[in-house]
PDB file of all heavy atoms in Angstrom:
ATOM      1  N   MET A   7       2.735   2.853 -27.642  1.00  0.00           N
ATOM      2  CA  MET A   7       2.696   3.714 -26.459  1.00  0.00           C
ATOM      3  C   MET A   7       1.516   3.507 -25.535  1.00  0.00           C
ATOM      4  O   MET A   7       1.624   3.629 -24.276  1.00  0.00           O
ATOM      5  CB  MET A   7       2.831   5.162 -26.990  1.00  0.00           C
ATOM      6  CG  MET A   7       2.857   6.237 -25.962  1.00  0.00           C
ATOM      7  SD  MET A   7       4.445   6.320 -25.355  1.00  0.00           S
ATOM      8  CE  MET A   7       4.322   7.679 -24.227  1.00  0.00           C
ATOM      9  N   ASN A   8       0.390   3.282 -26.255  1.00  0.00           N
ATOM     10  CA  ASN A   8      -0.851   3.094 -25.327  1.00  0.00           C
ATOM     11  C   ASN A   8      -0.647   1.864 -24.545  1.00  0.00           C
ATOM     12  O   ASN A   8      -1.316   1.803 -23.335  1.00  0.00           O
ATOM     13  CB  ASN A   8      -2.054   2.955 -26.263  1.00  0.00           C
ATOM     14  CG  ASN A   8      -2.526   4.328 -26.682  1.00  0.00           C
ATOM     15  OD1 ASN A   8      -2.176   5.324 -25.986  1.00  0.00           O
ATOM     16  ND2 ASN A   8      -3.263   4.341 -27.787  1.00  0.00           N
ATOM     17  N   THR A   9       0.088   0.783 -25.027  1.00  0.00           N
ATOM     18  CA  THR A   9       0.088  -0.490 -24.272  1.00  0.00           C
ATOM     19  C   THR A   9       1.022  -0.176 -23.064  1.00  0.00           C
ATOM     20  O   THR A   9       0.740  -0.808 -22.033  1.00  0.00           O
ATOM     21  CB  THR A   9       0.848  -1.549 -25.230  1.00  0.00           C
ATOM     22  OG1 THR A   9      -0.045  -1.640 -26.464  1.00  0.00           O
ATOM     23  CG2 THR A   9       0.738  -2.910 -24.574  1.00  0.00           C
ATOM     24  N   LEU A  10       2.028   0.487 -23.332  1.00  0.00           N
ATOM     25  CA  LEU A  10       2.932   0.706 -22.223  1.00  0.00           C
ATOM     26  C   LEU A  10       2.287   1.555 -21.107  1.00  0.00           C
ATOM     27  O   LEU A  10       2.396   1.388 -19.972  1.00  0.00           O
ATOM     28  CB  LEU A  10       4.258   1.650 -22.692  1.00  0.00           C
ATOM     29  CG  LEU A  10       5.242   1.850 -21.689  1.00  0.00           C
ATOM     30  CD1 LEU A  10       5.774   0.434 -21.087  1.00  0.00           C
ATOM     31  CD2 LEU A  10       6.425   2.634 -22.391  1.00  0.00           C
ATOM     32  N   ARG A  11       1.388   2.739 -21.526  1.00  0.00           N
ATOM     33  CA  ARG A  11       0.693   3.356 -20.534  1.00  0.00           C
ATOM     34  C   ARG A  11      -0.355   2.419 -19.795  1.00  0.00           C
ATOM     35  O   ARG A  11      -0.505   2.642 -18.507  1.00  0.00           O
ATOM     36  CB  ARG A  11      -0.129   4.531 -21.174  1.00  0.00           C
ATOM     37  CG  ARG A  11      -0.779   5.397 -20.253  1.00  0.00           C
ATOM     38  CD  ARG A  11      -1.502   6.552 -20.932  1.00  0.00           C
ATOM     39  NE  ARG A  11      -0.514   7.458 -21.560  1.00  0.00           N
ATOM     40  CZ  ARG A  11      -0.817   8.434 -22.234  1.00  0.00           C
ATOM     41  NH1 ARG A  11      -2.046   8.765 -22.482  1.00  0.00           N
ATOM     42  NH2 ARG A  11       0.262   9.313 -22.653  1.00  0.00           N
ATOM     43  N   LEU A  12      -1.019   1.570 -20.464  1.00  0.00           N
ATOM     44  CA  LEU A  12      -1.935   0.647 -19.819  1.00  0.00           C
ATOM     45  C   LEU A  12      -1.265  -0.245 -18.950  1.00  0.00           C
ATOM     46  O   LEU A  12      -1.709  -0.504 -17.694  1.00  0.00           O
ATOM     47  CB  LEU A  12      -2.601  -0.211 -20.896  1.00  0.00           C
ATOM     48  CG  LEU A  12      -3.665  -1.097 -20.479  1.00  0.00           C
ATOM     49  CD1 LEU A  12      -4.870  -0.361 -19.855  1.00  0.00           C
ATOM     50  CD2 LEU A  12      -4.195  -1.945 -21.598  1.00  0.00           C
ATOM     51  N   LEU A  13      -0.009  -0.764 -19.205  1.00  0.00           N
ATOM     52  CA  LEU A  13       0.714  -1.590 -18.302  1.00  0.00           C
ATOM     53  C   LEU A  13       1.046  -0.839 -17.076  1.00  0.00           C
ATOM     54  O   LEU A  13       1.083  -1.393 -16.007  1.00  0.00           O
ATOM     55  CB  LEU A  13       1.936  -2.247 -18.976  1.00  0.00           C
ATOM     56  CG  LEU A  13       1.581  -3.334 -20.055  1.00  0.00           C
ATOM     57  CD1 LEU A  13       2.964  -3.787 -20.589  1.00  0.00           C
ATOM     58  CD2 LEU A  13       1.062  -4.498 -19.348  1.00  0.00           C
ATOM     59  N   GLY A  14       1.378   0.460 -17.260  1.00  0.00           N
ATOM     60  CA  GLY A  14       1.792   1.295 -16.134  1.00  0.00           C
ATOM     61  C   GLY A  14       0.689   1.376 -15.065  1.00  0.00           C
ATOM     62  O   GLY A  14       0.773   1.412 -13.871  1.00  0.00           O
ATOM     63  N   TRP A  15      -0.486   1.772 -15.761  1.00  0.00           N
ATOM     64  CA  TRP A  15      -1.693   1.915 -14.868  1.00  0.00           C
ATOM     65  C   TRP A  15      -2.057   0.708 -14.151  1.00  0.00           C
ATOM     66  O   TRP A  15      -2.420   0.618 -13.036  1.00  0.00           O
ATOM     67  CB  TRP A  15      -2.831   2.479 -15.737  1.00  0.00           C
ATOM     68  CG  TRP A  15      -2.970   3.862 -15.965  1.00  0.00           C
ATOM     69  CD1 TRP A  15      -2.647   4.591 -17.072  1.00  0.00           C
ATOM     70  CD2 TRP A  15      -3.228   4.762 -14.915  1.00  0.00           C
ATOM     71  NE1 TRP A  15      -2.779   5.900 -16.955  1.00  0.00           N
ATOM     72  CE2 TRP A  15      -3.082   6.087 -15.519  1.00  0.00           C
ATOM     73  CE3 TRP A  15      -3.641   4.844 -13.562  1.00  0.00           C
ATOM     74  CZ2 TRP A  15      -3.385   7.283 -14.905  1.00  0.00           C
ATOM     75  CZ3 TRP A  15      -3.899   6.074 -12.998  1.00  0.00           C
ATOM     76  CH2 TRP A  15      -3.740   7.259 -13.574  1.00  0.00           C
ATOM     77  N   ALA A  16      -1.980  -0.477 -14.815  1.00  0.00           N
ATOM     78  CA  ALA A  16      -2.173  -1.892 -14.222  1.00  0.00           C
ATOM     79  C   ALA A  16      -1.210  -2.119 -13.032  1.00  0.00           C
ATOM     80  O   ALA A  16      -1.657  -2.545 -12.040  1.00  0.00           O
ATOM     81  CB  ALA A  16      -2.182  -2.885 -15.279  1.00  0.00           C
ATOM     82  N   ALA A  17       0.075  -1.820 -13.268  1.00  0.00           N
ATOM     83  CA  ALA A  17       0.962  -1.959 -12.208  1.00  0.00           C
ATOM     84  C   ALA A  17       0.688  -1.039 -10.930  1.00  0.00           C
ATOM     85  O   ALA A  17       0.748  -1.412  -9.731  1.00  0.00           O
ATOM     86  CB  ALA A  17       2.354  -1.723 -12.730  1.00  0.00           C
ATOM     87  N   ALA A  18       0.379   0.163 -11.145  1.00  0.00           N
ATOM     88  CA  ALA A  18       0.025   1.111 -10.192  1.00  0.00           C
ATOM     89  C   ALA A  18      -1.191   0.722  -9.421  1.00  0.00           C
ATOM     90  O   ALA A  18      -1.199   0.700  -8.178  1.00  0.00           O
ATOM     91  CB  ALA A  18      -0.134   2.543 -10.695  1.00  0.00           C
ATOM     92  N   LEU A  19      -2.177   0.222 -10.116  1.00  0.00           N
ATOM     93  CA  LEU A  19      -3.395  -0.278  -9.419  1.00  0.00           C
ATOM     94  C   LEU A  19      -3.236  -1.541  -8.632  1.00  0.00           C
ATOM     95  O   LEU A  19      -3.730  -1.671  -7.538  1.00  0.00           O
ATOM     96  CB  LEU A  19      -4.556  -0.419 -10.425  1.00  0.00           C
ATOM     97  CG  LEU A  19      -5.178   0.858 -11.055  1.00  0.00           C
ATOM     98  CD1 LEU A  19      -6.112   0.397 -12.094  1.00  0.00           C
ATOM     99  CD2 LEU A  19      -5.799   1.573 -10.007  1.00  0.00           C
ATOM    100  N   ALA A  20      -2.224  -2.464  -9.161  1.00  0.00           N
ATOM    101  CA  ALA A  20      -2.038  -3.524  -8.444  1.00  0.00           C
ATOM    102  C   ALA A  20      -1.251  -3.197  -7.179  1.00  0.00           C
ATOM    103  O   ALA A  20      -1.528  -3.913  -6.126  1.00  0.00           O
ATOM    104  CB  ALA A  20      -1.180  -4.689  -9.362  1.00  0.00           C
ATOM    105  N   ALA A  21      -0.254  -2.217  -7.178  1.00  0.00           N
ATOM    106  CA  ALA A  21       0.453  -1.996  -6.009  1.00  0.00           C
ATOM    107  C   ALA A  21      -0.550  -1.241  -4.989  1.00  0.00           C
ATOM    108  O   ALA A  21      -0.412  -1.580  -3.794  1.00  0.00           O
ATOM    109  CB  ALA A  21       1.465  -0.966  -6.496  1.00  0.00           C
ATOM    110  N   LEU A  22      -1.414  -0.511  -5.419  1.00  0.00           N
ATOM    111  CA  LEU A  22      -2.321   0.248  -4.529  1.00  0.00           C
ATOM    112  C   LEU A  22      -3.310  -0.801  -3.971  1.00  0.00           C
ATOM    113  O   LEU A  22      -3.570  -0.762  -2.691  1.00  0.00           O
ATOM    114  CB  LEU A  22      -3.210   1.199  -5.172  1.00  0.00           C
ATOM    115  CG  LEU A  22      -2.414   2.591  -5.521  1.00  0.00           C
ATOM    116  CD1 LEU A  22      -3.300   3.427  -6.413  1.00  0.00           C
ATOM    117  CD2 LEU A  22      -1.892   3.258  -4.257  1.00  0.00           C
ATOM    118  N   GLY A  23      -3.684  -1.780  -4.628  1.00  0.00           N
ATOM    119  CA  GLY A  23      -4.550  -2.883  -4.180  1.00  0.00           C
ATOM    120  C   GLY A  23      -3.911  -3.649  -3.184  1.00  0.00           C
ATOM    121  O   GLY A  23      -4.364  -4.101  -2.103  1.00  0.00           O
ATOM    122  N   GLY A  24      -2.566  -4.046  -3.325  1.00  0.00           N
ATOM    123  CA  GLY A  24      -1.803  -4.693  -2.367  1.00  0.00           C
ATOM    124  C   GLY A  24      -1.586  -3.979  -1.095  1.00  0.00           C
ATOM    125  O   GLY A  24      -1.728  -4.651  -0.021  1.00  0.00           O
ATOM    126  N   VAL A  25      -1.352  -2.729  -1.151  1.00  0.00           N
ATOM    127  CA  VAL A  25      -1.248  -1.901  -0.012  1.00  0.00           C
ATOM    128  C   VAL A  25      -2.618  -1.791   0.839  1.00  0.00           C
ATOM    129  O   VAL A  25      -2.625  -1.901   2.051  1.00  0.00           O
ATOM    130  CB  VAL A  25      -0.719  -0.480  -0.296  1.00  0.00           C
ATOM    131  CG1 VAL A  25      -0.841   0.446   0.942  1.00  0.00           C
ATOM    132  CG2 VAL A  25       0.660  -0.617  -0.786  1.00  0.00           C
ATOM    133  N   PHE A  26      -3.712  -1.651  -0.007  1.00  0.00           N
ATOM    134  CA  PHE A  26      -4.986  -1.705   0.751  1.00  0.00           C
ATOM    135  C   PHE A  26      -5.294  -2.940   1.413  1.00  0.00           C
ATOM    136  O   PHE A  26      -5.834  -2.985   2.454  1.00  0.00           O
ATOM    137  CB  PHE A  26      -5.995  -1.364  -0.396  1.00  0.00           C
ATOM    138  CG  PHE A  26      -7.387  -1.376   0.173  1.00  0.00           C
ATOM    139  CD1 PHE A  26      -7.917  -0.331   1.030  1.00  0.00           C
ATOM    140  CD2 PHE A  26      -8.313  -2.437  -0.049  1.00  0.00           C
ATOM    141  CE1 PHE A  26      -9.113  -0.276   1.569  1.00  0.00           C
ATOM    142  CE2 PHE A  26      -9.581  -2.383   0.546  1.00  0.00           C
ATOM    143  CZ  PHE A  26     -10.080  -1.313   1.215  1.00  0.00           C
ATOM    144  N   MET A  27      -4.835  -4.120   0.809  1.00  0.00           N
ATOM    145  CA  MET A  27      -4.986  -5.398   1.499  1.00  0.00           C
ATOM    146  C   MET A  27      -4.316  -5.571   2.702  1.00  0.00           C
ATOM    147  O   MET A  27      -4.703  -6.139   3.728  1.00  0.00           O
ATOM    148  CB  MET A  27      -4.758  -6.489   0.446  1.00  0.00           C
ATOM    149  CG  MET A  27      -5.708  -6.657  -0.657  1.00  0.00           C
ATOM    150  SD  MET A  27      -7.452  -6.757  -0.301  1.00  0.00           S
ATOM    151  CE  MET A  27      -7.494  -8.387   0.450  1.00  0.00           C
ATOM    152  N   LEU A  28      -3.164  -4.987   2.795  1.00  0.00           N
ATOM    153  CA  LEU A  28      -2.279  -4.885   4.050  1.00  0.00           C
ATOM    154  C   LEU A  28      -2.910  -4.093   5.252  1.00  0.00           C
ATOM    155  O   LEU A  28      -2.927  -4.579   6.363  1.00  0.00           O
ATOM    156  CB  LEU A  28      -0.870  -4.299   3.810  1.00  0.00           C
ATOM    157  CG  LEU A  28       0.115  -5.116   3.061  1.00  0.00           C
ATOM    158  CD1 LEU A  28       1.389  -4.462   2.856  1.00  0.00           C
ATOM    159  CD2 LEU A  28       0.415  -6.484   3.869  1.00  0.00           C
ATOM    160  N   TYR A  29      -3.652  -3.070   4.893  1.00  0.00           N
ATOM    161  CA  TYR A  29      -4.296  -2.227   5.892  1.00  0.00           C
ATOM    162  C   TYR A  29      -5.426  -3.061   6.596  1.00  0.00           C
ATOM    163  O   TYR A  29      -6.015  -2.547   7.459  1.00  0.00           O
ATOM    164  CB  TYR A  29      -4.771  -0.871   5.359  1.00  0.00           C
ATOM    165  CG  TYR A  29      -3.664   0.179   5.276  1.00  0.00           C
ATOM    166  CD1 TYR A  29      -3.020   0.430   4.090  1.00  0.00           C
ATOM    167  CD2 TYR A  29      -3.239   0.710   6.428  1.00  0.00           C
ATOM    168  CE1 TYR A  29      -1.982   1.370   4.106  1.00  0.00           C
ATOM    169  CE2 TYR A  29      -2.182   1.640   6.342  1.00  0.00           C
ATOM    170  CZ  TYR A  29      -1.571   1.916   5.216  1.00  0.00           C
ATOM    171  OH  TYR A  29      -0.597   2.804   5.337  1.00  0.00           O
ATOM    172  N   LEU A  30      -5.964  -3.927   5.680  1.00  0.00           N
ATOM    173  CA  LEU A  30      -7.125  -4.664   6.273  1.00  0.00           C
ATOM    174  C   LEU A  30      -6.688  -5.725   7.515  1.00  0.00           C
ATOM    175  O   LEU A  30      -7.518  -6.450   8.016  1.00  0.00           O
ATOM    176  CB  LEU A  30      -7.868  -5.433   5.080  1.00  0.00           C
ATOM    177  CG  LEU A  30      -8.571  -4.495   4.267  1.00  0.00           C
ATOM    178  CD1 LEU A  30      -9.266  -5.229   3.150  1.00  0.00           C
ATOM    179  CD2 LEU A  30      -9.641  -3.644   4.972  1.00  0.00           C
ATOM    180  N   GLN A  31      -5.341  -5.950   7.502  1.00  0.00           N
ATOM    181  CA  GLN A  31      -4.952  -6.964   8.515  1.00  0.00           C
ATOM    182  C   GLN A  31      -4.598  -6.123   9.837  1.00  0.00           C
ATOM    183  O   GLN A  31      -3.671  -5.392   9.837  1.00  0.00           O
ATOM    184  CB  GLN A  31      -3.708  -7.667   7.966  1.00  0.00           C
ATOM    185  CG  GLN A  31      -3.945  -8.472   6.787  1.00  0.00           C
ATOM    186  CD  GLN A  31      -2.658  -9.272   6.181  1.00  0.00           C
ATOM    187  OE1 GLN A  31      -1.568  -9.126   6.661  1.00  0.00           O
ATOM    188  NE2 GLN A  31      -2.874  -9.929   5.203  1.00  0.00           N
ATOM    189  N   PRO A  32      -5.263  -6.532  10.918  1.00  0.00           N
ATOM    190  CA  PRO A  32      -5.084  -5.788  12.151  1.00  0.00           C
ATOM    191  C   PRO A  32      -3.599  -5.922  12.752  1.00  0.00           C
ATOM    192  O   PRO A  32      -2.989  -4.980  13.189  1.00  0.00           O
ATOM    193  CB  PRO A  32      -5.961  -6.381  13.098  1.00  0.00           C
ATOM    194  CG  PRO A  32      -7.011  -7.198  12.283  1.00  0.00           C
ATOM    195  CD  PRO A  32      -6.297  -7.584  11.034  1.00  0.00           C
ATOM    196  N   GLU A  33      -2.960  -7.004  12.588  1.00  0.00           N
ATOM    197  CA  GLU A  33      -1.681  -7.246  13.149  1.00  0.00           C
ATOM    198  C   GLU A  33      -0.700  -6.362  12.390  1.00  0.00           C
ATOM    199  O   GLU A  33       0.321  -5.927  12.913  1.00  0.00           O
ATOM    200  CB  GLU A  33      -1.189  -8.630  13.201  1.00  0.00           C
ATOM    201  CG  GLU A  33      -1.273  -9.352  11.876  1.00  0.00           C
ATOM    202  CD  GLU A  33      -2.572  -9.963  11.591  1.00  0.00           C
ATOM    203  OE1 GLU A  33      -3.453 -10.004  12.581  1.00  0.00           O
ATOM    204  OE2 GLU A  33      -2.741 -10.564  10.524  1.00  0.00           O
ATOM    205  N   PHE A  34      -0.896  -6.092  11.065  1.00  0.00           N
ATOM    206  CA  PHE A  34      -0.056  -5.246  10.250  1.00  0.00           C
ATOM    207  C   PHE A  34      -0.269  -3.743  10.784  1.00  0.00           C
ATOM    208  O   PHE A  34       0.830  -3.099  10.902  1.00  0.00           O
ATOM    209  CB  PHE A  34      -0.308  -5.299   8.829  1.00  0.00           C
ATOM    210  CG  PHE A  34       0.355  -4.271   7.890  1.00  0.00           C
ATOM    211  CD1 PHE A  34       1.726  -4.383   7.709  1.00  0.00           C
ATOM    212  CD2 PHE A  34      -0.296  -3.252   7.484  1.00  0.00           C
ATOM    213  CE1 PHE A  34       2.320  -3.480   7.002  1.00  0.00           C
ATOM    214  CE2 PHE A  34       0.376  -2.153   6.814  1.00  0.00           C
ATOM    215  CZ  PHE A  34       1.652  -2.360   6.361  1.00  0.00           C
ATOM    216  N   MET A  35      -1.438  -3.382  11.120  1.00  0.00           N
ATOM    217  CA  MET A  35      -1.687  -2.034  11.445  1.00  0.00           C
ATOM    218  C   MET A  35      -1.010  -1.804  12.912  1.00  0.00           C
ATOM    219  O   MET A  35      -0.501  -0.727  13.197  1.00  0.00           O
ATOM    220  CB  MET A  35      -3.174  -1.745  11.574  1.00  0.00           C
ATOM    221  CG  MET A  35      -3.809  -1.676  10.241  1.00  0.00           C
ATOM    222  SD  MET A  35      -3.087  -0.309   9.109  1.00  0.00           S
ATOM    223  CE  MET A  35      -3.460   1.070  10.081  1.00  0.00           C
ATOM    224  N   VAL A  36      -1.127  -2.748  13.742  1.00  0.00           N
ATOM    225  CA  VAL A  36      -0.516  -2.618  15.068  1.00  0.00           C
ATOM    226  C   VAL A  36       0.998  -2.473  14.992  1.00  0.00           C
ATOM    227  O   VAL A  36       1.601  -1.786  15.594  1.00  0.00           O
ATOM    228  CB  VAL A  36      -0.889  -3.848  15.975  1.00  0.00           C
ATOM    229  CG1 VAL A  36      -0.051  -3.890  17.233  1.00  0.00           C
ATOM    230  CG2 VAL A  36      -2.401  -3.748  16.339  1.00  0.00           C
ATOM    231  N   GLY A  37       1.636  -3.414  14.161  1.00  0.00           N
ATOM    232  CA  GLY A  37       3.071  -3.214  13.879  1.00  0.00           C
ATOM    233  C   GLY A  37       3.568  -2.014  13.310  1.00  0.00           C
ATOM    234  O   GLY A  37       4.505  -1.323  13.754  1.00  0.00           O
ATOM    235  N   LEU A  38       2.838  -1.512  12.329  1.00  0.00           N
ATOM    236  CA  LEU A  38       3.048  -0.220  11.711  1.00  0.00           C
ATOM    237  C   LEU A  38       2.853   0.964  12.776  1.00  0.00           C
ATOM    238  O   LEU A  38       3.788   1.853  12.865  1.00  0.00           O
ATOM    239  CB  LEU A  38       2.062   0.086  10.586  1.00  0.00           C
ATOM    240  CG  LEU A  38       2.235   1.385   9.832  1.00  0.00           C
ATOM    241  CD1 LEU A  38       3.708   1.324   9.041  1.00  0.00           C
ATOM    242  CD2 LEU A  38       1.309   1.584   8.648  1.00  0.00           C
ATOM    243  N   ALA A  39       1.823   0.961  13.607  1.00  0.00           N
ATOM    244  CA  ALA A  39       1.725   1.951  14.655  1.00  0.00           C
ATOM    245  C   ALA A  39       2.861   1.836  15.667  1.00  0.00           C
ATOM    246  O   ALA A  39       3.362   2.857  16.072  1.00  0.00           O
ATOM    247  CB  ALA A  39       0.454   1.737  15.455  1.00  0.00           C
ATOM    248  N   ASN A  40       3.345   0.607  15.997  1.00  0.00           N
ATOM    249  CA  ASN A  40       4.448   0.546  16.861  1.00  0.00           C
ATOM    250  C   ASN A  40       5.722   1.104  16.319  1.00  0.00           C
ATOM    251  O   ASN A  40       6.523   1.736  16.998  1.00  0.00           O
ATOM    252  CB  ASN A  40       4.668  -0.991  17.435  1.00  0.00           C
ATOM    253  CG  ASN A  40       3.583  -1.342  18.152  1.00  0.00           C
ATOM    254  OD1 ASN A  40       3.039  -0.550  19.028  1.00  0.00           O
ATOM    255  ND2 ASN A  40       3.341  -2.575  18.257  1.00  0.00           N
ATOM    256  N   GLN A  41       5.977   0.854  15.016  1.00  0.00           N
ATOM    257  CA  GLN A  41       7.069   1.350  14.387  1.00  0.00           C
ATOM    258  C   GLN A  41       7.138   2.985  14.369  1.00  0.00           C
ATOM    259  O   GLN A  41       8.120   3.549  14.511  1.00  0.00           O
ATOM    260  CB  GLN A  41       7.283   0.808  13.025  1.00  0.00           C
ATOM    261  CG  GLN A  41       7.666  -0.585  13.002  1.00  0.00           C
ATOM    262  CD  GLN A  41       7.812  -1.125  11.622  1.00  0.00           C
ATOM    263  OE1 GLN A  41       7.575  -0.491  10.593  1.00  0.00           O
ATOM    264  NE2 GLN A  41       8.170  -2.485  11.438  1.00  0.00           N
ATOM    265  N   VAL A  42       5.874   3.468  14.071  1.00  0.00           N
ATOM    266  CA  VAL A  42       5.749   4.945  13.873  1.00  0.00           C
ATOM    267  C   VAL A  42       5.968   5.471  15.372  1.00  0.00           C
ATOM    268  O   VAL A  42       6.708   6.556  15.468  1.00  0.00           O
ATOM    269  CB  VAL A  42       4.498   5.311  13.358  1.00  0.00           C
ATOM    270  CG1 VAL A  42       4.170   6.892  13.499  1.00  0.00           C
ATOM    271  CG2 VAL A  42       4.364   4.962  11.899  1.00  0.00           C
ATOM    272  N   TRP A  43       5.349   4.833  16.292  1.00  0.00           N
ATOM    273  CA  TRP A  43       5.533   5.382  17.686  1.00  0.00           C
ATOM    274  C   TRP A  43       6.896   5.342  18.256  1.00  0.00           C
ATOM    275  O   TRP A  43       7.329   6.137  19.027  1.00  0.00           O
ATOM    276  CB  TRP A  43       4.527   4.650  18.535  1.00  0.00           C
ATOM    277  CG  TRP A  43       4.537   5.226  19.996  1.00  0.00           C
ATOM    278  CD1 TRP A  43       5.052   4.622  21.080  1.00  0.00           C
ATOM    279  CD2 TRP A  43       3.889   6.459  20.369  1.00  0.00           C
ATOM    280  NE1 TRP A  43       4.700   5.460  22.206  1.00  0.00           N
ATOM    281  CE2 TRP A  43       4.095   6.535  21.840  1.00  0.00           C
ATOM    282  CE3 TRP A  43       3.268   7.545  19.794  1.00  0.00           C
ATOM    283  CZ2 TRP A  43       3.661   7.670  22.509  1.00  0.00           C
ATOM    284  CZ3 TRP A  43       2.727   8.560  20.521  1.00  0.00           C
ATOM    285  CH2 TRP A  43       3.093   8.695  21.812  1.00  0.00           C
ATOM    286  N   ALA A  44       7.662   4.334  17.685  1.00  0.00           N
ATOM    287  CA  ALA A  44       9.075   4.209  18.164  1.00  0.00           C
ATOM    288  C   ALA A  44       9.999   5.328  17.635  1.00  0.00           C
ATOM    289  O   ALA A  44      11.177   5.608  18.235  1.00  0.00           O
ATOM    290  CB  ALA A  44       9.710   2.789  17.744  1.00  0.00           C
ATOM    291  N   CYS A  45       9.557   6.054  16.720  1.00  0.00           N
ATOM    292  CA  CYS A  45      10.421   7.152  16.203  1.00  0.00           C
ATOM    293  C   CYS A  45      10.272   8.367  17.158  1.00  0.00           C
ATOM    294  O   CYS A  45      11.265   9.276  17.132  1.00  0.00           O
ATOM    295  CB  CYS A  45       9.827   7.589  14.820  1.00  0.00           C
ATOM    296  SG  CYS A  45      10.075   6.450  13.517  1.00  0.00           S
ATOM    297  N   PHE A  46       9.281   8.396  18.055  1.00  0.00           N
ATOM    298  CA  PHE A  46       9.189   9.581  18.966  1.00  0.00           C
ATOM    299  C   PHE A  46       9.860   9.098  20.238  1.00  0.00           C
ATOM    300  O   PHE A  46       9.679   9.300  21.176  1.00  0.00           O
ATOM    301  CB  PHE A  46       7.845   9.874  19.072  1.00  0.00           C
ATOM    302  CG  PHE A  46       7.264  10.444  17.657  1.00  0.00           C
ATOM    303  CD1 PHE A  46       6.262   9.675  17.128  1.00  0.00           C
ATOM    304  CD2 PHE A  46       7.632  11.657  17.141  1.00  0.00           C
ATOM    305  CE1 PHE A  46       5.797  10.099  15.801  1.00  0.00           C
ATOM    306  CE2 PHE A  46       7.140  12.117  15.916  1.00  0.00           C
ATOM    307  CZ  PHE A  46       6.300  11.358  15.214  1.00  0.00           C
TER     308      PHE A  46
END
């Protein structure tokens, strides 16, 4: 059970790290802002 919980935490941290790395790319942020703005 502890191994499964550890793998879950590792997967969650890896996903959060990947999202954080995307936010460091300016072109990604501009594209995301354009998509959000297009909803209005």
Side-chain angles (χ1 to χ4, degrees):
M7 185 69 175
N8 283 337
T9 306
L10 186 59
R11 183 178 293 180
L12 182 63
L13 287 175
W15 276 106
L19 289 175
L22 288 174
V25 169
F26 179 72
M27 292 305 291
L28 283 176
Y29 277 107
L30 293 177
Q31 296 180 359
E33 55 273 353
F34 172 74
M35 289 302 297
V36 171
L38 183 63
N40 286 335
Q41 288 178 357
V42 170
W43 186 251
C45 293
F46 300 106

